[in-house]
Every structure is written in C-alpha cells, then in structure tokens.
C-alpha cells in the first residue's frame, strides 16, 4: 500500500515562516543576553568605584594577624661581689659589732730629752782625768813586762824616750796612736805596739759628770843596763 502525503498536513510549505520565527527568536535572545551582560559590568564598575572612594570607611581591613610570641623567661645572672662591695659589707658588720667603751684617759706624752753625743776631744779641761785600771803603778808594771827592746837598737846601743800620744774613747778603748816622729824608727814602732796592748784597760775622763774622749800622752823610755848584757 503506497503512502500518500496529505496536502493539508504538509509543513514544508510553512518552512520559511518557521525559519523567520527562529531567526527572530535568536535575535531577541541575543539582544537580551547582551543587555544583561552590559548591565552587570556597569554595576560592577560602580561598586568598585564606590569602594575605592570610601575605602577608609567601607572596606573592612581586618586581617588575621597571628598573636606576638610570648616574652622569653627572665635569665638570672649571678654577680660576684667585688673587693669594694666585700670591704663595704665587712665594714658594715664591724660597725654593727662595735662596742662603745669608756674613754681611756692617757697622760700627755713627755718627750725625752735627746742625748747629744759629745765628740769633742778634751785635754786640759777635764773634771776627772783619765786613769789606767789599777793606777800608775799597774801601768808601769804592764809596760816593763810587755816592752821588747828592738835587737838592732840594742846592738847599736840606741836609747831614748819616745812620747806616744793617743785618744782614750768613752768606753775605755784607744785610737789615733802616734809618736812625734823624732826618735829611732825601731824604738817608735815598739812604743806604739806596747801601747796598743793596753786597749780597753783605761778609765775615760769625765766632763760635766759624763765620760768624754780625751788625749793621753805617755813617755816610753828605752835604756840599756849593764845587767842586760
């Protein structure tokens, strides 16, 4: 059975109309879409412009800032006491322990008179003359026992008196022994030697009741007797 088209239901004849309607719909839709997009852009621009003008009052500038780190724990430092601080502490402790005692009354110091050493060598103005321990007799015995006649002077039969001068110190010693230099040298040397043996055997002279230095002169006699031959 062959199918035949009904001319009343054939839509191909209205194709041009439907196509025009389709283009018209597309144009309307396109226009609406472009209009909507333009409106949104303008709206966004206005919003941005307002925010930029009133940024200080409108824009929320709050940020999530992390809290500051906690402060480090305090560090204890040990400071050694210096010598000055130690001295101050010691002095303070000493002051606290001080005991107030009654004042001690001391007698005024009396200056002792300075003893003036008299180095003057006295001779004639002595209040007490020098003396040999034991007296003149003891001195004569000492000289006769200790005097040695020089062999050369004895062989040549040389005799004479030698005057010996010396100083007796405050402690009884002797110094500055000498002769006049006018006699025989051997006899003078022997006279000086025998006087040196009397060192420390003298009592010093006194002046104003004090021992002083004084000059002493003793003649030493060299004589040859017949018994000596």
């Amino acid at each position: 059975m062959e199918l035949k088209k009904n001319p009343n239901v054939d839509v191909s004849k209205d194709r041009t109309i439907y196509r025009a309607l389709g283009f018209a719909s597309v144009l309307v839709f396109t226009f609406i879409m472009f209009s909507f997009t333009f409106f949104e852009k303008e709206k966004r621009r206005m919003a941005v412009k307002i925010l930029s003008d009133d940024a200080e009052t409108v824009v929320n500038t709050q940020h999530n800032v992390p809290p500051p780190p906690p402060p480090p724990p305090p560090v204890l430092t040990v400071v050694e006491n210096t010598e000055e601080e130690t001295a101050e502490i010691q002095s303070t402790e000493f002051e606290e322990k001080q005991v107030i005692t009654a004042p001690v009354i001391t007698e005024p110091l009396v200056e002792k008179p300075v003893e003036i050493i008299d180095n003057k060598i006295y001779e004639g103005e002595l209040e007490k003359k020098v003396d040999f321990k034991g007296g003149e007799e003891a001195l004569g015995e000492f000289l006769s026992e200790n005097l040695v006649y020089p062999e050369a002077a004895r062989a040549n039969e040389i005799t004479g008196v030698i005057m010996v001068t010396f100083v007796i110190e405050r402690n009884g010693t002797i110094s500055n022994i000498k002769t006049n230099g006018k006699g025989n040298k051997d006899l003078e040397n022997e006279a000086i030697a025998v006087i040196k043996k009397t060192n420390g055997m003298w009592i010093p002279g006194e002046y104003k009741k004090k021992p002083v230095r004084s000059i002493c002169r003793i003649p030493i006699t060299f004589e040859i007797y017949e018994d000596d031959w």
Side-chain angles (χ1 to χ4, degrees), residues 97-123:
K97 296 180 181 179
Q98 282 184 345
V99 178
I100 300 175
T101 57
V104 179
I105 301 174
T106 57
E107 297 180 357
L109 296 176
V110 178
E111 295 183 359
K112 295 181 179 180
V114 179
E115 184 179 358
I116 300 174
I117 299 175
D118 188 1
N119 287 322
K120 179 182 176 181
I121 300 175
Y122 293 82
E123 186 174 1

PDB file of all heavy atoms in Angstrom, residues 97-123:
ATOM      1  N   LYS A  97      78.997  45.638 115.147  1.00  0.00           N
ATOM      2  CA  LYS A  97      79.503  44.917 116.308  1.00  0.00           C
ATOM      3  C   LYS A  97      80.331  45.789 117.222  1.00  0.00           C
ATOM      4  O   LYS A  97      80.872  45.313 118.213  1.00  0.00           O
ATOM      5  CB  LYS A  97      80.338  43.721 115.841  1.00  0.00           C
ATOM      6  CG  LYS A  97      79.530  42.677 115.085  1.00  0.00           C
ATOM      7  CD  LYS A  97      80.409  41.525 114.650  1.00  0.00           C
ATOM      8  CE  LYS A  97      79.606  40.483 113.874  1.00  0.00           C
ATOM      9  NZ  LYS A  97      80.474  39.371 113.422  1.00  0.00           N
ATOM     10  N   GLN A  98      80.508  47.053 116.905  1.00  0.00           N
ATOM     11  CA  GLN A  98      81.312  47.913 117.746  1.00  0.00           C
ATOM     12  C   GLN A  98      80.654  48.102 119.103  1.00  0.00           C
ATOM     13  O   GLN A  98      79.443  48.255 119.217  1.00  0.00           O
ATOM     14  CB  GLN A  98      81.504  49.282 117.076  1.00  0.00           C
ATOM     15  CG  GLN A  98      82.545  49.270 115.971  1.00  0.00           C
ATOM     16  CD  GLN A  98      82.763  50.658 115.418  1.00  0.00           C
ATOM     17  OE1 GLN A  98      81.951  51.539 115.666  1.00  0.00           O
ATOM     18  NE2 GLN A  98      83.835  50.853 114.695  1.00  0.00           N
ATOM     19  N   VAL A  99      81.491  48.050 120.102  1.00  0.00           N
ATOM     20  CA  VAL A  99      81.018  48.242 121.465  1.00  0.00           C
ATOM     21  C   VAL A  99      81.583  49.553 121.975  1.00  0.00           C
ATOM     22  O   VAL A  99      82.792  49.791 121.907  1.00  0.00           O
ATOM     23  CB  VAL A  99      81.471  47.075 122.370  1.00  0.00           C
ATOM     24  CG1 VAL A  99      81.008  47.306 123.802  1.00  0.00           C
ATOM     25  CG2 VAL A  99      80.937  45.761 121.819  1.00  0.00           C
ATOM     26  N   ILE A 100      80.736  50.396 122.453  1.00  0.00           N
ATOM     27  CA  ILE A 100      81.166  51.690 122.963  1.00  0.00           C
ATOM     28  C   ILE A 100      81.715  51.496 124.369  1.00  0.00           C
ATOM     29  O   ILE A 100      81.032  50.982 125.259  1.00  0.00           O
ATOM     30  CB  ILE A 100      79.986  52.683 122.983  1.00  0.00           C
ATOM     31  CG1 ILE A 100      79.441  52.872 121.553  1.00  0.00           C
ATOM     32  CG2 ILE A 100      80.414  54.010 123.590  1.00  0.00           C
ATOM     33  CD1 ILE A 100      78.212  53.734 121.492  1.00  0.00           C
ATOM     34  N   THR A 101      82.953  51.823 124.531  1.00  0.00           N
ATOM     35  CA  THR A 101      83.611  51.701 125.827  1.00  0.00           C
ATOM     36  C   THR A 101      83.907  53.089 126.378  1.00  0.00           C
ATOM     37  O   THR A 101      83.879  54.088 125.665  1.00  0.00           O
ATOM     38  CB  THR A 101      84.910  50.895 125.695  1.00  0.00           C
ATOM     39  OG1 THR A 101      85.751  51.546 124.738  1.00  0.00           O
ATOM     40  CG2 THR A 101      84.628  49.482 125.203  1.00  0.00           C
ATOM     41  N   ALA A 102      84.206  53.087 127.658  1.00  0.00           N
ATOM     42  CA  ALA A 102      84.520  54.360 128.302  1.00  0.00           C
ATOM     43  C   ALA A 102      85.822  54.916 127.745  1.00  0.00           C
ATOM     44  O   ALA A 102      86.745  54.166 127.432  1.00  0.00           O
ATOM     45  CB  ALA A 102      84.648  54.151 129.815  1.00  0.00           C
ATOM     46  N   PRO A 103      85.903  56.202 127.550  1.00  0.00           N
ATOM     47  CA  PRO A 103      87.147  56.787 127.013  1.00  0.00           C
ATOM     48  C   PRO A 103      88.309  56.562 127.966  1.00  0.00           C
ATOM     49  O   PRO A 103      88.177  56.638 129.181  1.00  0.00           O
ATOM     50  CB  PRO A 103      86.800  58.273 126.883  1.00  0.00           C
ATOM     51  CG  PRO A 103      85.673  58.497 127.838  1.00  0.00           C
ATOM     52  CD  PRO A 103      84.886  57.220 127.866  1.00  0.00           C
ATOM     53  N   VAL A 104      89.427  56.217 127.350  1.00  0.00           N
ATOM     54  CA  VAL A 104      90.638  55.981 128.131  1.00  0.00           C
ATOM     55  C   VAL A 104      91.412  57.283 128.228  1.00  0.00           C
ATOM     56  O   VAL A 104      91.755  57.893 127.216  1.00  0.00           O
ATOM     57  CB  VAL A 104      91.496  54.882 127.469  1.00  0.00           C
ATOM     58  CG1 VAL A 104      92.769  54.665 128.279  1.00  0.00           C
ATOM     59  CG2 VAL A 104      90.692  53.597 127.361  1.00  0.00           C
ATOM     60  N   ILE A 105      91.666  57.689 129.430  1.00  0.00           N
ATOM     61  CA  ILE A 105      92.395  58.928 129.659  1.00  0.00           C
ATOM     62  C   ILE A 105      93.879  58.604 129.727  1.00  0.00           C
ATOM     63  O   ILE A 105      94.320  57.806 130.563  1.00  0.00           O
ATOM     64  CB  ILE A 105      91.937  59.615 130.964  1.00  0.00           C
ATOM     65  CG1 ILE A 105      90.436  59.924 130.882  1.00  0.00           C
ATOM     66  CG2 ILE A 105      92.754  60.863 131.232  1.00  0.00           C
ATOM     67  CD1 ILE A 105      89.861  60.474 132.171  1.00  0.00           C
ATOM     68  N   THR A 106      94.595  59.126 128.796  1.00  0.00           N
ATOM     69  CA  THR A 106      96.036  58.882 128.748  1.00  0.00           C
ATOM     70  C   THR A 106      96.775  60.133 129.180  1.00  0.00           C
ATOM     71  O   THR A 106      96.335  61.256 128.946  1.00  0.00           O
ATOM     72  CB  THR A 106      96.465  58.495 127.320  1.00  0.00           C
ATOM     73  OG1 THR A 106      96.084  59.536 126.427  1.00  0.00           O
ATOM     74  CG2 THR A 106      95.797  57.192 126.888  1.00  0.00           C
ATOM     75  N   GLU A 107      97.871  59.890 129.804  1.00  0.00           N
ATOM     76  CA  GLU A 107      98.687  61.013 130.241  1.00  0.00           C
ATOM     77  C   GLU A 107      99.397  61.628 129.050  1.00  0.00           C
ATOM     78  O   GLU A 107      99.733  60.932 128.092  1.00  0.00           O
ATOM     79  CB  GLU A 107      99.711  60.539 131.270  1.00  0.00           C
ATOM     80  CG  GLU A 107      99.065  60.002 132.547  1.00  0.00           C
ATOM     81  CD  GLU A 107     100.121  59.551 133.539  1.00  0.00           C
ATOM     82  OE1 GLU A 107     101.319  59.611 133.173  1.00  0.00           O
ATOM     83  OE2 GLU A 107      99.753  59.153 134.657  1.00  0.00           O
ATOM     84  N   PRO A 108      99.609  62.902 129.080  1.00  0.00           N
ATOM     85  CA  PRO A 108     100.318  63.535 127.959  1.00  0.00           C
ATOM     86  C   PRO A 108     101.732  62.992 127.835  1.00  0.00           C
ATOM     87  O   PRO A 108     102.403  62.714 128.832  1.00  0.00           O
ATOM     88  CB  PRO A 108     100.314  65.022 128.338  1.00  0.00           C
ATOM     89  CG  PRO A 108     100.104  65.049 129.812  1.00  0.00           C
ATOM     90  CD  PRO A 108      99.236  63.862 130.138  1.00  0.00           C
ATOM     91  N   LEU A 109     102.117  62.781 126.594  1.00  0.00           N
ATOM     92  CA  LEU A 109     103.446  62.251 126.343  1.00  0.00           C
ATOM     93  C   LEU A 109     104.499  63.289 126.697  1.00  0.00           C
ATOM     94  O   LEU A 109     104.392  64.459 126.338  1.00  0.00           O
ATOM     95  CB  LEU A 109     103.586  61.855 124.872  1.00  0.00           C
ATOM     96  CG  LEU A 109     102.668  60.708 124.399  1.00  0.00           C
ATOM     97  CD1 LEU A 109     102.849  60.495 122.903  1.00  0.00           C
ATOM     98  CD2 LEU A 109     102.978  59.429 125.169  1.00  0.00           C
ATOM     99  N   VAL A 110     105.475  62.812 127.408  1.00  0.00           N
ATOM    100  CA  VAL A 110     106.581  63.681 127.785  1.00  0.00           C
ATOM    101  C   VAL A 110     107.782  63.304 126.930  1.00  0.00           C
ATOM    102  O   VAL A 110     108.245  62.166 126.960  1.00  0.00           O
ATOM    103  CB  VAL A 110     106.926  63.530 129.283  1.00  0.00           C
ATOM    104  CG1 VAL A 110     108.111  64.415 129.638  1.00  0.00           C
ATOM    105  CG2 VAL A 110     105.710  63.853 130.135  1.00  0.00           C
ATOM    106  N   GLU A 111     108.201  64.213 126.131  1.00  0.00           N
ATOM    107  CA  GLU A 111     109.325  63.946 125.248  1.00  0.00           C
ATOM    108  C   GLU A 111     110.608  63.848 126.057  1.00  0.00           C
ATOM    109  O   GLU A 111     110.908  64.714 126.881  1.00  0.00           O
ATOM    110  CB  GLU A 111     109.455  65.059 124.200  1.00  0.00           C
ATOM    111  CG  GLU A 111     108.272  65.127 123.247  1.00  0.00           C
ATOM    112  CD  GLU A 111     108.482  66.181 122.187  1.00  0.00           C
ATOM    113  OE1 GLU A 111     109.554  66.849 122.240  1.00  0.00           O
ATOM    114  OE2 GLU A 111     107.616  66.334 121.323  1.00  0.00           O
ATOM    115  N   LYS A 112     111.282  62.740 125.806  1.00  0.00           N
ATOM    116  CA  LYS A 112     112.563  62.564 126.485  1.00  0.00           C
ATOM    117  C   LYS A 112     113.615  63.449 125.827  1.00  0.00           C
ATOM    118  O   LYS A 112     113.636  63.588 124.602  1.00  0.00           O
ATOM    119  CB  LYS A 112     112.999  61.101 126.412  1.00  0.00           C
ATOM    120  CG  LYS A 112     112.064  60.165 127.165  1.00  0.00           C
ATOM    121  CD  LYS A 112     112.572  58.736 127.079  1.00  0.00           C
ATOM    122  CE  LYS A 112     111.649  57.791 127.852  1.00  0.00           C
ATOM    123  NZ  LYS A 112     112.128  56.389 127.783  1.00  0.00           N
ATOM    124  N   PRO A 113     114.437  64.023 126.640  1.00  0.00           N
ATOM    125  CA  PRO A 113     115.479  64.872 126.050  1.00  0.00           C
ATOM    126  C   PRO A 113     116.441  64.040 125.208  1.00  0.00           C
ATOM    127  O   PRO A 113     116.832  62.933 125.577  1.00  0.00           O
ATOM    128  CB  PRO A 113     116.190  65.463 127.283  1.00  0.00           C
ATOM    129  CG  PRO A 113     115.887  64.514 128.397  1.00  0.00           C
ATOM    130  CD  PRO A 113     114.526  63.967 128.116  1.00  0.00           C
ATOM    131  N   VAL A 114     116.752  64.573 124.051  1.00  0.00           N
ATOM    132  CA  VAL A 114     117.661  63.882 123.137  1.00  0.00           C
ATOM    133  C   VAL A 114     119.086  64.047 123.645  1.00  0.00           C
ATOM    134  O   VAL A 114     119.545  65.168 123.909  1.00  0.00           O
ATOM    135  CB  VAL A 114     117.517  64.448 121.707  1.00  0.00           C
ATOM    136  CG1 VAL A 114     118.487  63.747 120.763  1.00  0.00           C
ATOM    137  CG2 VAL A 114     116.078  64.300 121.233  1.00  0.00           C
ATOM    138  N   GLU A 115     119.718  62.910 123.809  1.00  0.00           N
ATOM    139  CA  GLU A 115     121.095  62.950 124.306  1.00  0.00           C
ATOM    140  C   GLU A 115     122.033  63.373 123.180  1.00  0.00           C
ATOM    141  O   GLU A 115     122.086  62.732 122.125  1.00  0.00           O
ATOM    142  CB  GLU A 115     121.491  61.579 124.839  1.00  0.00           C
ATOM    143  CG  GLU A 115     122.873  61.553 125.457  1.00  0.00           C
ATOM    144  CD  GLU A 115     123.224  60.183 125.998  1.00  0.00           C
ATOM    145  OE1 GLU A 115     122.377  59.278 125.924  1.00  0.00           O
ATOM    146  OE2 GLU A 115     124.361  60.031 126.473  1.00  0.00           O
ATOM    147  N   ILE A 116     122.732  64.426 123.423  1.00  0.00           N
ATOM    148  CA  ILE A 116     123.674  64.935 122.432  1.00  0.00           C
ATOM    149  C   ILE A 116     125.028  64.277 122.684  1.00  0.00           C
ATOM    150  O   ILE A 116     125.588  64.370 123.779  1.00  0.00           O
ATOM    151  CB  ILE A 116     123.792  66.469 122.514  1.00  0.00           C
ATOM    152  CG1 ILE A 116     122.412  67.096 122.248  1.00  0.00           C
ATOM    153  CG2 ILE A 116     124.821  66.976 121.514  1.00  0.00           C
ATOM    154  CD1 ILE A 116     122.380  68.592 122.435  1.00  0.00           C
ATOM    155  N   ILE A 117     125.509  63.589 121.666  1.00  0.00           N
ATOM    156  CA  ILE A 117     126.798  62.907 121.787  1.00  0.00           C
ATOM    157  C   ILE A 117     127.910  63.928 121.578  1.00  0.00           C
ATOM    158  O   ILE A 117     127.962  64.610 120.551  1.00  0.00           O
ATOM    159  CB  ILE A 117     126.909  61.760 120.772  1.00  0.00           C
ATOM    160  CG1 ILE A 117     125.799  60.735 121.038  1.00  0.00           C
ATOM    161  CG2 ILE A 117     128.283  61.101 120.853  1.00  0.00           C
ATOM    162  CD1 ILE A 117     125.736  59.627 120.019  1.00  0.00           C
ATOM    163  N   ASP A 118     128.755  63.992 122.554  1.00  0.00           N
ATOM    164  CA  ASP A 118     129.870  64.943 122.515  1.00  0.00           C
ATOM    165  C   ASP A 118     131.090  64.236 121.938  1.00  0.00           C
ATOM    166  O   ASP A 118     131.659  63.342 122.558  1.00  0.00           O
ATOM    167  CB  ASP A 118     130.165  65.456 123.937  1.00  0.00           C
ATOM    168  CG  ASP A 118     131.178  66.590 123.927  1.00  0.00           C
ATOM    169  OD1 ASP A 118     131.621  66.968 122.833  1.00  0.00           O
ATOM    170  OD2 ASP A 118     131.518  67.076 125.019  1.00  0.00           O
ATOM    171  N   ASN A 119     131.453  64.616 120.725  1.00  0.00           N
ATOM    172  CA  ASN A 119     132.612  64.006 120.064  1.00  0.00           C
ATOM    173  C   ASN A 119     133.880  64.849 120.209  1.00  0.00           C
ATOM    174  O   ASN A 119     134.896  64.549 119.587  1.00  0.00           O
ATOM    175  CB  ASN A 119     132.322  63.772 118.569  1.00  0.00           C
ATOM    176  CG  ASN A 119     131.358  62.615 118.351  1.00  0.00           C
ATOM    177  OD1 ASN A 119     131.416  61.605 119.041  1.00  0.00           O
ATOM    178  ND2 ASN A 119     130.462  62.778 117.385  1.00  0.00           N
ATOM    179  N   LYS A 120     133.798  65.871 121.008  1.00  0.00           N
ATOM    180  CA  LYS A 120     134.975  66.709 121.217  1.00  0.00           C
ATOM    181  C   LYS A 120     136.068  65.930 121.972  1.00  0.00           C
ATOM    182  O   LYS A 120     135.776  65.128 122.848  1.00  0.00           O
ATOM    183  CB  LYS A 120     134.582  67.954 122.018  1.00  0.00           C
ATOM    184  CG  LYS A 120     135.753  68.869 122.313  1.00  0.00           C
ATOM    185  CD  LYS A 120     135.315  70.056 123.152  1.00  0.00           C
ATOM    186  CE  LYS A 120     136.509  70.933 123.531  1.00  0.00           C
ATOM    187  NZ  LYS A 120     136.109  72.085 124.360  1.00  0.00           N
ATOM    188  N   ILE A 121     137.316  66.155 121.610  1.00  0.00           N
ATOM    189  CA  ILE A 121     138.448  65.517 122.292  1.00  0.00           C
ATOM    190  C   ILE A 121     138.998  66.498 123.328  1.00  0.00           C
ATOM    191  O   ILE A 121     139.542  67.546 122.981  1.00  0.00           O
ATOM    192  CB  ILE A 121     139.541  65.109 121.292  1.00  0.00           C
ATOM    193  CG1 ILE A 121     138.972  64.103 120.274  1.00  0.00           C
ATOM    194  CG2 ILE A 121     140.737  64.500 122.019  1.00  0.00           C
ATOM    195  CD1 ILE A 121     139.942  63.724 119.181  1.00  0.00           C
ATOM    196  N   TYR A 122     138.832  66.161 124.585  1.00  0.00           N
ATOM    197  CA  TYR A 122     139.253  67.041 125.687  1.00  0.00           C
ATOM    198  C   TYR A 122     140.693  66.721 126.073  1.00  0.00           C
ATOM    199  O   TYR A 122     141.208  65.623 125.853  1.00  0.00           O
ATOM    200  CB  TYR A 122     138.330  66.860 126.894  1.00  0.00           C
ATOM    201  CG  TYR A 122     136.908  67.353 126.657  1.00  0.00           C
ATOM    202  CD1 TYR A 122     135.961  66.569 126.002  1.00  0.00           C
ATOM    203  CD2 TYR A 122     136.528  68.614 127.094  1.00  0.00           C
ATOM    204  CE1 TYR A 122     134.677  67.032 125.798  1.00  0.00           C
ATOM    205  CE2 TYR A 122     135.234  69.086 126.889  1.00  0.00           C
ATOM    206  CZ  TYR A 122     134.327  68.279 126.236  1.00  0.00           C
ATOM    207  OH  TYR A 122     133.043  68.738 126.032  1.00  0.00           O
ATOM    208  N   GLU A 123     141.291  67.736 126.730  1.00  0.00           N
ATOM    209  CA  GLU A 123     142.671  67.528 127.190  1.00  0.00           C
ATOM    210  C   GLU A 123     142.894  68.124 128.592  1.00  0.00           C
ATOM    211  O   GLU A 123     143.096  67.395 129.556  1.00  0.00           O
ATOM    212  CB  GLU A 123     143.663  68.143 126.203  1.00  0.00           C
ATOM    213  CG  GLU A 123     145.121  67.844 126.553  1.00  0.00           C
ATOM    214  CD  GLU A 123     146.083  68.321 125.506  1.00  0.00           C
ATOM    215  OE1 GLU A 123     145.622  68.902 124.501  1.00  0.00           O
ATOM    216  OE2 GLU A 123     147.295  68.113 125.673  1.00  0.00           O
TER     217      GLU A 123
END
